[in-house]
Amino acid sequence: MGMARYIQPAVRELRNDPQAGEYVELILVPEEDNTDELRERVEAVGGEPTREITFGMLAIEIDQAALDELCDLAGLKSITLDEPMEVLESGNPNPDPASQN
Amino acid sequence: MLVSRITEFFSSAATFHHYQVTDLADDIPQIRLDPFADAIQAAIDDGIDIVNLSVGIHRAKCPGVCPFCEAAKRAVDAGITVVAGSGNRYTYAGPTRVFCPARREGVIAVGGMEVHCPKSIDIPGVGCHSGTDDSPGPYWMNKRADAEYGADLAEGVYCGQQGCLDDDDCLVENTERSWSGNVRPYRDKPDVLAPVHYPVARGDGKLELKAGTSFSTPIVTGIVGMVIDEFRQETGKPPDPAAARRAVRESAEPIGESELRKLNTTRMMNTLFPI
């Protein structure tokens, strides 16, 4: 039985307390670039591949009740939520200087 | 555009490629995986030497294998030096460590530092010339309580980094410290710190002082890009990303009494070109 090197904590929480019938969108990063094989394995555990992403990554949608089987799939580097990055410019909550030039 | 302007200041002779990864019309731009991964592939295909990533996401306990880290890894594997912001503490609630993809092994992670000038703005003719007109004066901010972020806000007199009016050495008068908005370290990252503030003139005539590792990262990218170009002229090819990162880390200088370090261009050059 294998397991991804990294399962995002938020995904672990859903796995530990799944809501059957509620779906979650995930990104899978495989150890090897073999999208066809990955798609088959995802479908075998009840997941639905939604789109292929550069570098062999795969976006899927899956019932939370099937997360246990998905997380036990071998050959995955990571399983994470499909969420975006931020632009790192909003680190200063007090942007107005006291003196103006 | 601000990020590009900063990078171009330090690497004015470079050829720049811009890859759009977000809708610039959005109030809060977000970068989804698909366009980001495509942009990295395009950079690989274009033979880019160095990539600036003023973007990131906090993923607790990611060992550098999440999708964004994977894309950065592919760039590094292809010989591209990747420079990424280590993250801003106020982006997420709760404690945060170095963001992805900066935490990916092989990526140069950049944190923020503040440069203070102790010269008083009340003394006419003394202090850093940092104004948008001929009036001298450093940028400074008052510390005030904020219900959301607490009392740990920027304070003090900041060097405008455009020189001093008197004859004293500006570098002697500067006081540097780690930025209060830095995230917690992750393993041996960030690799280096760089100035984090960027003043922007607003339409009402006032000044807004932006801050974030978005602005410190392109400083490092621009300088490292300049060094990479020198290396290429000497050897016919750019240094591999591991050598570039090693040179940044080994040449960096400590900031005050901390273990955090700032970039030192001269020492970096000497590290890559041993005499």
Side-chain angles (χ1 to χ4, degrees):
Chain A
M1 179 185 299
M3 195 169 69
R5 278 197 263 164
Y6 175 68
I7 300 174
Q8 187 177 0
V11 177
R12 290 183 183 272
E13 289 176 13
L14 293 176
R15 177 189 186 182
N16 292 337
D17 186 21
Q19 302 297 312
E22 293 292 321
Y23 286 74
V24 60
E25 296 177 343
L26 303 174
I27 303 291
L28 308 183
V29 180
E31 293 282 1
E32 304 289 337
D33 286 3
N34 189 335
T35 307
D36 291 339
E37 190 259 351
L38 180 59
R39 292 176 71 102
E40 289 177 6
R41 293 198 290 135
V42 166
E43 289 168 345
V45 297
E48 178 188 352
T50 55
R51 66 188 193 278
E52 295 180 10
I53 302 169
T54 306
F55 305 131
M57 298 186 280
L58 189 65
I60 72 166
E61 191 176 59
I62 192 167
D63 191 319
Q64 293 181 23
L67 282 175
D68 227 16
E69 284 191 85
L70 179 76
C71 291
D72 283 341
L73 287 180
L76 292 177
K77 285 184 183 178
S78 66
I79 302 174
T80 58
L81 296 175
D82 185 4
E83 52 191 3
M85 292 193 288
E86 306 283 342
V87 177
L88 301 176
E89 73 163 11
S90 57
N92 181 10
N94 183 25
D96 292 329
S99 106
Q100 318 297 339
N101 283 310
Chain B
M1 293 304 294
L2 293 178
V3 169
S4 292
R5 196 176 302 164
I6 295 170
T7 313
E8 291 170 22
F9 178 84
F10 294 99
S11 284
S12 57
T15 298
F16 289 86
H17 294 243
H18 295 93
Y19 303 95
Q20 185 167 347
V21 295
T22 187
D23 187 344
L24 298 178
D26 291 343
D27 289 336
I28 304 178
Q30 294 188 317
I31 298 87
R32 303 214 65 87
L33 175 62
D34 305 61
F36 177 75
D38 289 345
I40 293 294
Q41 182 64 65
I44 294 171
D45 295 341
D46 291 341
I48 299 299
D49 291 332
I50 185 168
V51 161
N52 180 87
L53 301 179
S54 288
V55 295
I57 181 171
H58 180 251
R59 288 226 160 111
K61 301 180 182 180
C62 171
V65 297
C66 79
F68 295 108
C69 287
E70 176 68 18
K73 170 190 179 296
R74 299 296 183 117
V76 172
D77 290 347
I80 298 176
T81 294
V82 179
V83 185
S86 60
N88 305 334
R89 182 157 66 96
Y90 299 115
T91 304
Y92 297 91
T96 51
R97 294 192 181 273
V98 174
F99 286 15
C100 301
R103 60 167 55 194
R104 170 68 209 181
E105 181 181 347
V107 172
I108 298 173
V110 182
M113 62 182 272
E114 299 174 327
V115 182
H116 291 258
C117 172
K119 296 186 175 181
S120 171
I121 61 169
D122 294 329
I123 302 176
V126 176
C128 295
H129 183 78
S130 57
T132 55
D133 53 28
D134 290 335
S135 302
Y139 301 116
W140 61 278
M141 296 175 64
N142 282 329
K143 190 171 188 175
R144 64 171 187 254
D146 184 288
E148 182 178 359
Y149 296 102
D152 188 18
L153 301 176
E155 180 192 20
V157 179
Y158 294 86
C159 176
Q161 305 207 23
Q162 295 189 42
C164 284
L165 291 183
D166 58 18
D167 294 331
D168 290 343
D169 185 348
C170 195
L171 292 178
V172 173
E173 297 294 339
N174 283 169
T175 301
E176 298 159 341
R177 70 179 189 190
S178 176
W179 179 45
S180 59
N182 276 328
V183 296
R184 296 179 182 180
Y186 172 75
R187 294 184 178 175
D188 59 351
K189 298 192 173 206
D191 295 289
V192 71
L193 305 188
V196 72
H197 289 110
Y198 190 90
V200 177
R202 300 195 316 208
D204 58 0
K206 293 190 175 181
L207 206 65
E208 179 176 347
L209 199 63
K210 289 182 175 293
T213 48
S214 265
F215 305 112
S216 55
T217 303
I219 293 175
V220 175
T221 304
I223 292 173
V224 173
M226 179 184 65
V227 174
I228 286 175
D229 185 56
E230 292 282 334
F231 188 93
R232 180 196 292 275
Q233 290 185 34
E234 286 286 324
T235 66
K237 60 180 183 178
D240 64 70
R245 182 176 178 234
R246 189 166 52 245
V248 166
R249 291 177 57 84
E250 292 179 358
S251 62
E253 293 182 339
I255 295 175
E257 301 298 320
S258 74
E259 295 183 353
L260 297 172
R261 296 170 170 266
K262 63 176 181 178
L263 197 65
N264 185 310
T265 308
T266 302
R267 285 175 56 174
M268 183 182 175
M269 298 277 279
N270 292 337
T271 301
L272 276 174
F273 302 97
I275 299 175

